[in-house]
Amino acid sequence: MNFLNGIVNGLREIWSHKLRSALTMVCILLGVGSVVLTVGFVNGLFSNWNQWLAESGGLEKISVLDQPAPETQQAIKGRSPGRTMADVRAIQAASRYARLISPERDLDGRFQRGRVTHRARVQGVAPAIFTINRIQVEFGRPICDLDVQKASSVVVLGSTIAKKLFQPGEDPVGATVRVNGLLCEVVGVVKRYSLDGDDPEQWNPMEGLKNNVAFLPITTMQRKLVGDVPLSWINVQITDVSRLHEAVEEVQNIVRATHRGIDDFRIRTGEEDLQELQGMQRNFMVVGITIGAVTLIIGGIGIMNLMLASINERVREIGIRKALGAWDEDVFLQFMAESVSLSLVGGAVGVGAGCGLIEIMQRIPGFTVKPEISLSAVAVGFTFSVVTGVVSGIYPAILASRLDPIEALRYE
């Protein structure tokens, strides 16, 4: 009951010294608000990045990429043919874990239709890429096996490319466009992808991955545009994510054999990307919470200063209470409660301010990253504010409880 009375007295003290209390609580407010806001931004940012990771193939995708041969193999690196279709055929024949395989060749593309031109990335692919990279064709059809067998001059356009080349209401499917001078029939248009459902006119991180990309059959790319050059990379979707490490080792051994023992390649997995994202997320969280904690420490110093000033103003009150029978513990609890009440009010306002700012930012157009309200951040911020109040109030409460009642009554 004494603690509750102390809370009530603390609220009265706040009300009776509004400016002083407000200045003291500002740091608590800023500390808690910064924790809520920082965690909200980090959650929003990494929610987009995690979605981007999923949209680019997820954990079941592994890629064979280029890397320089090690120093010990520099003298014989010419023995390796590089990434070629021989690697693809070897993986298809020998791998137990590969479900789908897509060789890919990248090219800077120049698209032309009439007088309209647009530059975007072109990929020569196998049909499997639409499943591996989770690409949905909204109009028409994707690249098929027959297109690859015949090296057909057909193209699937990303939504941004189609929008640039065709007028609203005009059907791209069946029309022809030039891709680096090669006349191709448009057989499909990929649906527009966005990480946050934003305005279609707003740029988003999916542009370079799916929206502003066109797809040709890999054989068409090799025979009619780039010639017999190494592949940009090979994407593989494995059958079981739980066997990821075995699949990586298997693909590595197969490709090393086709490269005649030269390690001029590396295997990249979605797990590596996920670990990098999680590490970055932890770092962002630590920085944000550290900033909030420092602000709360400053707020705690302010609360302690306020409580010490309050003791000097209420020495006679403390003496009268003790003379009427109040125990040291009663005085201690009263001042602790008042200190906690300051931090509670500051923390509550800080939580409200942080959540309010997040709500406002979610409604502002043009924000690529939408912050998210996190209940865990609210709980952590509010808990920190209470702990700050408790720690800051201990020393002043001890001083008040140890005052001699006779000396206190004599105090002027």
Side-chain angles (χ1 to χ4, degrees), residues 379-400:
V380 168
F382 201 72
T383 301
F384 276 9
S385 72
V386 174
V387 171
T388 300
V390 171
V391 173
S392 303
I394 289 176
Y395 177 66
I398 291 174
L399 285 182

Side-chain angles (χ1 to χ4, degrees), residues 8-19:
V8 173
N9 289 334
L11 295 175
R12 287 174 181 168
E13 284 292 312
I14 292 173
W15 186 253
S16 61
H17 301 90
K18 301 180 185 65
L19 180 59

